[in-house]
Amino acid sequence: MTDDRRVVRELVGAHGRTFAEDAGITLRDTPQPLYRLLVLALLLSARIRGSIAVDTARELYRAGLRDPRRVAQADWQERVDALGRGGYRRYDERTATQLGDGAELLIERWGGDLRRMRKEADGDVSALRRLLQEVPGMGPAGADIFLREAQRVWPELAPYLDGKALDGAARLGLPKDPDRLVKLAGDTEPAVLAAALVRAALDKEVAEDSLRRAA
């Protein structure tokens, strides 16, 4: 029988990077990286390849669409073009509208600063998850993606292992209890563990590779 700790160690060693890192986001508790993470979560939540979502998040940054005010000030076609250059063509027009509407909402309600949304939730993770879903285009999946990654800088969220992460644990034959998984991971940050488990859920080869290495 494969040792669970070894499975987690091999998984994290080979696949333990956050999706924010893939997108070139150095996550800090400051407005711009938090907003970029929100946009990434929105992009990743659509039925499109994760690599395309990540590339598109990078392209939006290169296009200067880095914070709510710049996104709100950009015209719709500018947003469409940036999404298209990133490869996000299937959803580019709808997403361009959602980004503009979402940026305006963030400015009007939270001054363009997601830390104010966090403060409004007052430590209640369920409340924060609901608030995130008020942003156009952010459904439950997008909110979960954001919270999984944001736990790196918002410690009250941890351990945030949502259904997708727990699906990865099941595929690896690991327990589906967040506290047990965190204990198995030792010093690994919960955000890194969550991302690795999600990769196992999304890609059968990731899980098989980890199990093979741990055998």
Side-chain angles (χ1 to χ4, degrees):
M1 185 181 226
T2 305
D3 178 76
D4 288 348
R5 286 184 187 277
R6 199 154 62 240
V7 172
V8 172
R9 184 172 66 245
E10 294 298 338
L11 172 71
V12 170
H15 307 285
R17 65 190 184 283
T18 66
F19 291 89
E21 288 171 333
D22 280 354
I25 301 169
T26 301
L27 196 57
R28 293 186 296 270
D29 187 24
T30 54
Q32 189 181 109
L34 289 169
Y35 176 70
R36 291 180 64 199
L37 175 60
L38 182 78
V39 171
L40 175 64
L42 187 154
L43 297 173
L44 283 168
S45 66
R47 293 183 179 179
I48 199 163
R49 278 208 318 273
S51 59
I52 292 176
V54 166
D55 288 346
T56 301
R58 286 179 173 273
E59 181 56 39
L60 289 168
Y61 181 81
R62 283 192 290 267
L65 303 177
R66 305 171 183 181
D67 60 61
R69 284 179 175 77
R70 293 186 187 187
V71 171
Q73 289 166 1
D75 64 43
W76 179 81
Q77 191 60 52
E78 187 179 345
R79 296 193 295 267
V80 169
D81 291 346
L83 290 162
R85 288 194 300 273
Y88 212 78
R89 295 183 184 89
R90 183 177 174 190
Y91 302 105
D92 55 355
E93 295 188 355
R94 183 182 71 183
T95 304
T97 299
Q98 290 171 339
L99 287 174
D101 292 345
E104 289 176 4
L105 173 69
L106 288 169
I107 292 165
E108 291 169 8
R109 185 158 173 188
W110 295 289
D113 188 345
L114 284 161
R115 294 176 300 179
R116 296 187 183 182
M117 182 190 287
R118 177 194 187 190
K119 186 176 181 180
E120 183 175 329
D122 195 26
D124 185 333
V125 178
S126 296
L128 181 56
R129 189 173 185 266
R130 288 193 299 272
L131 288 171
L132 286 164
Q133 291 178 68
E134 293 185 23
V135 178
M138 284 290 286
D144 284 337
I145 294 167
F146 179 89
L147 294 170
R148 281 199 316 254
E149 301 267 323
Q151 66 183 317
R152 195 165 212 177
V153 292
W154 291 354
E156 74 274 13
L157 301 176
Y160 196 89
L161 302 180
D162 67 322
K164 184 63 73 175
L166 297 180
D167 287 345
R171 175 171 269 180
L172 290 157
L174 296 169
K176 293 186 70 173
D177 176 79
D179 290 331
R180 289 180 65 190
L181 288 166
V182 168
K183 192 170 183 179
L184 288 170
D187 293 335
T188 298
E189 292 179 68
V192 172
L193 171 63
L197 290 170
V198 168
R199 293 179 193 280
L202 296 175
D203 187 343
K204 189 177 180 182
E205 290 184 9
V206 168
E208 291 176 345
D209 174 65
S210 301
L211 290 169
R212 187 166 52 249
R213 290 169 179 268

